[in-house]
C-alpha cells in the first residue's frame, strides 16, 4: 500500500468521500424511480386491475427499445494513427493491442458496448470504466450500470468536470477481503474491523443504491430477499470512488454501511496516471445536468396511453358482452339462472297472458357500437405520433407500407438523422476511451 498518504489523511478523505457518496446516491433517487417505470413497462409489469377491469401489459415499450437498439448496435472501431512518420510502428503496435484485447472471447468489448447502449436508452446515460493492471498487464473495459453509478449532484453534464464519481454494489466475500488484506492492498486494521462486524450497520440513507436495483427485478418475479448463505461466506457490498480531495486526485474503496474504508491511494500511484477512469455519454446532452432525459422518457407517456386505451377497449367489450341487468326478483325465481350455460333453464313466476319483456332489462350505452372505432382511431394516431417524434417508424422496423421508393428513402434518412444525434456524444466518449486506453498501455505494459 502506498505511503504517500498518512493514516490521518486517509481517514479525513474517507469522511469527505462518505458524505459525497450519500449525496450522489440520494441526488439521483427520484430520477431513477421514474426510470424504473420504463423498465417495468419493458418487462411487462402492470399494476393489479380493479375488479371487473383489465390491466394487460402491451409490448409497446419493448418494441420501441428493441427496435431502437437494433438501429444503433454497430460497434465502433478505434483507429490509432501516427502523429509523425517516426510513430508509424508505434501506432501499428497500439492498434494490434487494441484489436486483440477488445475482441477477447471472455470479454468482447463490442458486446459490452451493446449493453451500455441499452442502459442509455432507459436512463439517458452510457457509462464505462477503463483501467489497467501491470503485474501482469491486463486492460479492463467495464460497462457500469447507471443504477450503480453516482456523481456530483451539481457537476453538470460533463463527467470529467465533476469533483467525484463512483460506483456501488461491488460484492466481495469474506475470503476475498481477507486475502487482499494479506497482500497488503487493503488496510489491515480497518479490514479486521469490517470482518469482525464493527461499525454502523444499515443506515437508511446508504441502502438506496441496492434497493433501487433490486426493484428492477420485480417485473420478472425474481426473489431478491435472499441472504448469501448459499455461498458459505459473508458478503460485503463495497463502494468505490475517485475524487478530488485536499488538492489530490484520490481512489478510495469502502463499505458504506459499516462506514469503514479498506483502500485509499493517490490515483497516480495506483493507476500510473491521475486521469479519471470513468467516461460517459448522453443520448440527450444537457450541460447543466448529468442525469438528463432518455429516449424512454419521450416514449413512456405515449406507451402508457396506448396501453390504457387498449385496456379500456377490453373493458368496453366486456361491458358490452356482459352488460348489467335489472331483474324483477318477484318474477325470477333464481337470478343466477340468468347466467348463460348450455341448455340452461330459467324459472319464472308468470301470470297467465303476462309478457316477459318487463322481467329483465339490460342496460347498454347509447355509444356502445361506436366506442371500439373511436379507440382504434386514437391508438392509430398515437402510433403515428410515436413514429414521427422518435424516429422509430414502421419502415425502420422493417414493415413499411410506402409504395414509392423515394418516400421510403426519405423516411429512413430522417431515422438516420434522428439516431445520429445519439451517436455524436457516443463517438466523443469513445475518443476519450481510446486516449485512456493508450495512456493505460503506456504506463502499465
Amino acid at each position: 500500500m502506498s505511503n504517500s498518504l498518512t493514516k490521518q489523511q486517509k481517514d479525513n478523505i474517507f469522511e469527505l468521500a462518505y458524505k459525497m457518496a450519500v449525496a450522489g446516491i440520494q441526488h439521483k433517487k427520484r430520477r431513477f424511480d421514474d426510470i424504473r417505470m420504463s423498465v417495468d413497462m419493458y418487462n411487462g409489469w402492470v399494476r393489479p386491475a380493479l375488479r371487473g377491469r383489465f390491466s394487460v401489459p402491451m409490448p409497446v415499450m419493448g418494441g420501441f427499445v428493441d427496435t431502437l437498439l437494433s438501429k444503433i448496435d454497430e460497434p465502433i472501431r478505434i483507429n490509432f494513427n501516427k502523429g509523425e512518420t517516426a510513430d508509424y510502428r508505434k501506432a501499428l503496435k497500439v492498434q494490434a493491442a487494441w484489436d486483440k484485447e477488445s475482441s477477447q472471447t471472455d470479454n468482447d468489448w463490442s458486446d459490452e458496448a451493446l449493453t451500455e447502449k441499452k442502459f442509455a436508452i432507459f436512463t439517458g446515460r452510457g457509462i464505462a470504466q477503463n483501467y489497467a493492471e501491470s503485474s501482469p498487464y491486463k486492460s479492463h473495459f467495464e460497462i457500469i450500470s447507471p443504477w450503480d453509478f453516482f456523481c456530483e449532484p451539481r457537476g453538470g453534464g460533463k463527467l470529467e468536470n465533476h469533483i467525484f464519481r463512483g460506483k456501488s454494489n461491488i460484492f466481495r466475500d469474506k475470503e476475498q477481503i481477507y486475502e487482499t488484506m494479506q497482500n497488503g492492498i487493503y488496510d489491515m486494521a480497518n479490514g479486521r474491523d469490517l470482518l469482525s462486524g464493527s461499525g454502523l450497520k444499515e443506515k437508511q440513507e446508504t441502502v438506496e443504491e441496492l434497493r433501487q436495483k433490486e426493484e428492477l427485478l420485480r417485473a420478472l418475479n425474481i426473489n431478491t430477499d435472499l441472504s448469501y448463505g448459499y455461498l458459505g461466506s459473508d458478503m460485503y457490498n463495497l463502494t468505490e470512488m475517485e475524487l478530488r480531495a485536499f488538492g489530490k486526485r484520490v481512489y478510495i474503496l469502502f463499505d458504506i454501511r459499516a462506514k469503514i474504508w479498506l483502500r485509499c491511494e493517490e490515483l497516480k500511484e495506483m493507476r500510473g496516471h491521475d486521469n479519471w477512469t470513468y467516461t460517459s455519454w448522453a443520448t440527450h446532452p444537457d450541460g447543466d445536468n448529468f442525469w438528463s432525459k432518455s429516449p424512454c422518457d419521450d416514449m413512456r407517456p405515449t406507451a402508457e396511453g396506448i396501453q390504457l386505451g387498449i385496456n379500456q377497449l377490453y373493458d368496453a367489450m366486456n361491458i358490452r358482452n356482459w352488460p348489467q341487468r335489472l331483474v324483477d326478483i318477484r318474477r325470477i325465481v333464481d337470478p343466477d339462472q340468468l347466467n348463460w350455460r348450455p341448455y340452461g333453464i330459467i324459472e319464472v313466476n308468470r301470470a297467465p297472458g303476462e309478457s316477459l319483456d318487463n322481467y329483465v332489462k339490460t342496460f347498454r350505452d347509447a355509444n356502445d357500437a361506436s366506442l371500439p372505432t373511436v379507440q382504434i382511431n386514437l391508438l392509430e394516431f398515437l402510433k403515428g405520433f410515436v413514429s414521427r417524434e422518435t424516429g422509430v417508424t414502421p419502415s425502420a422496423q422493417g414493415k413499411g407500407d410506402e409504395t414509392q421508393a423515394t418516400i421510403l428513402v426519405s423516411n429512413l434518412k430522417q431515422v438516420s438523422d434522428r439516431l445520429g444525434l445519439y451517436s455524436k456524444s457516443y463517438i466523443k466518449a469513445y475518443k476519450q476511451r481510446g486516449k485512456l486506453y493508450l495512456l493505460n498501455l503506456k504506463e502499465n505494459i
Side-chain angles (χ1 to χ4, degrees):
M1 182 178 291
S2 169
N3 294 320
S4 65
L5 296 174
T6 66
K7 182 69 161 57
Q8 184 59 52
Q9 286 176 317
K10 293 176 182 180
D11 289 339
N12 293 340
I13 289 171
F14 169 68
E15 290 298 324
L16 181 62
Y18 177 84
K19 294 177 183 178
M20 289 177 172
V22 171
I25 292 168
Q26 290 296 312
H27 169 67
K28 68 173 190 173
K29 177 183 179 301
R30 292 175 62 183
R31 168 71 180 127
F32 276 75
D33 286 341
D34 288 342
I35 291 171
R36 194 182 72 235
M37 291 191 290
S38 298
V39 179
D40 284 346
M41 294 185 73
Y42 177 81
N43 287 327
W45 183 88
V46 292
R47 296 180 181 87
L50 297 173
R51 184 178 179 181
R53 295 289 186 266
F54 281 90
S55 184
V56 179
M58 294 290 125
V60 181
M61 186 66 80
F64 169 77
V65 171
D66 293 343
T67 300
L68 180 55
L69 185 61
S70 72
K71 301 304 172 186
I72 58 174
D73 63 346
E74 289 296 323
I76 285 183
R77 174 178 170 82
I78 293 182
N79 293 316
F80 294 91
N81 297 319
K82 60 183 177 62
E84 300 176 359
T85 304
D87 295 330
Y88 178 71
R89 291 179 61 84
K90 295 178 183 177
L92 290 179
K93 290 180 180 180
V94 173
Q95 187 68 56
W98 169 272
D99 291 342
K100 179 181 178 180
E101 291 194 90
S102 64
S103 59
Q104 299 174 82
T105 55
D106 61 336
N107 185 28
D108 190 317
W109 293 357
S110 296
D111 291 341
E112 292 286 302
L114 195 61
T115 300
E116 179 186 25
K117 290 174 183 177
K118 191 168 184 179
F119 279 143
I121 291 173
F122 283 113
T123 68
R125 274 287 169 182
I127 305 164
Q129 186 179 24
N130 300 69
Y131 61 96
E133 301 172 75
S134 56
S135 299
Y137 170 78
K138 182 175 177 58
S139 183
H140 296 268
F141 174 71
E142 299 175 3
I143 298 303
I144 309 301
S145 168
W147 278 268
D148 295 337
F149 187 78
F150 58 89
C151 55
E152 184 189 352
R154 295 184 179 179
K158 294 182 178 180
L159 184 59
E160 57 268 27
N161 294 336
H162 287 219
I163 294 174
F164 68 89
R165 75 278 299 132
K167 62 180 179 181
S168 50
N169 295 325
I170 304 171
F171 293 97
R172 298 287 184 269
D173 62 31
K174 187 173 184 178
E175 284 70 25
Q176 287 175 306
I177 292 177
Y178 182 78
E179 181 181 353
T180 312
M181 287 165 49
Q182 296 301 312
N183 292 334
I185 297 175
Y186 291 170
D187 184 87
M188 188 68 72
N190 287 357
R192 289 198 188 101
D193 287 343
L194 179 64
L195 297 181
S196 67
S198 301
L200 303 177
K201 295 293 183 182
E202 300 296 335
K203 289 178 68 65
Q204 184 59 41
E205 68 268 23
T206 65
V207 300
E208 192 64 42
E209 78 284 3
L210 182 60
R211 182 193 68 80
Q212 283 190 327
K213 193 172 184 180
E214 288 183 342
E215 285 186 355
L216 296 176
L217 303 177
R218 174 185 59 185
L220 302 176
N221 286 327
I222 295 176
N223 181 15
T224 60
D225 298 326
L226 297 173
S227 67
Y228 287 93
Y230 60 87
L231 295 177
S233 174
D234 294 332
M235 185 65 70
Y236 296 85
N237 186 351
L238 305 180
T239 298
E240 170 189 288
M241 288 180 65
E242 296 176 356
L243 65 149
R244 288 202 309 269
F246 309 111
K248 303 177 184 292
R249 289 193 174 192
V250 179
Y251 169 92
I252 188 167
L253 179 73
F254 55 93
D255 187 313
I256 197 170
R257 292 173 173 81
K259 209 174 179 183
I260 295 174
W261 64 267
L262 293 174
R263 186 177 188 181
C264 184
E265 299 181 43
E266 285 194 54
L267 200 58
K268 187 171 185 178
E269 294 177 350
M270 179 180 177
R271 303 296 190 196
H273 58 82
D274 63 357
N275 287 48
W276 307 123
T277 63
Y278 293 93
T279 55
S280 179
W281 59 280
T283 59
H284 297 74
D286 182 344
D288 295 328
N289 176 29
F290 181 82
W291 297 114
S292 49
K293 75 171 187 174
S294 71
C296 281
D297 289 326
D298 289 334
M299 181 63 187
R300 190 169 63 246
T302 305
E304 288 176 341
I306 292 174
Q307 182 164 295
L308 179 63
I310 291 177
N311 278 287
Q312 288 184 345
L313 181 59
Y314 288 156
D315 290 339
M317 294 170 61
N318 220 9
I319 292 170
R320 187 177 57 185
N321 293 335
W322 291 282
Q324 289 184 302
R325 291 169 293 190
L326 186 149
V327 179
D328 188 341
I329 61 174
R330 295 172 302 175
R331 306 298 187 188
I332 305 297
V333 175
D334 183 3
D336 285 342
Q337 293 178 350
L338 294 173
N339 295 326
W340 185 90
R341 61 196 184 281
Y343 305 107
I345 295 175
I346 301 174
E347 300 174 87
V348 298
N349 293 320
R350 177 174 174 267
E354 185 179 11
S355 171
L356 294 174
D357 293 343
N358 296 325
Y359 283 31
V360 178
K361 181 178 181 180
T362 300
F363 291 98
R364 295 190 184 278
D365 192 323
N367 299 318
D368 216 18
S370 63
L371 183 60
T373 302
V374 172
Q375 288 198 277
I376 289 173
N377 290 340
L378 174 60
L379 296 177
E380 288 300 320
F381 165 77
L382 290 174
K383 287 191 288 186
F385 178 81
V386 169
S387 297
R388 292 192 303 272
E389 298 303 319
T390 66
V392 181
T393 64
S395 56
Q397 294 174 317
K399 55 182 180 182
D401 57 0
E402 290 85 352
T403 58
Q404 298 182 23
T406 54
I407 297 177
L408 178 60
V409 171
S410 176
N411 283 352
L412 291 179
K413 184 180 185 302
Q414 291 176 11
V415 173
S416 177
D417 290 343
R418 183 63 182 260
L419 301 184
L421 293 175
Y422 303 155
S423 299
K424 290 180 180 178
S425 178
Y426 180 62
I427 292 172
K428 181 179 178 181
Y430 251 86
K431 289 180 180 178
Q432 287 181 283
R433 293 167 187 178
K435 293 176 181 178
L436 194 54
Y437 174 83
L438 181 60
L439 187 58
N440 287 331
L441 194 68
K442 177 182 177 182
E443 297 295 338
N444 290 280
I445 199 166

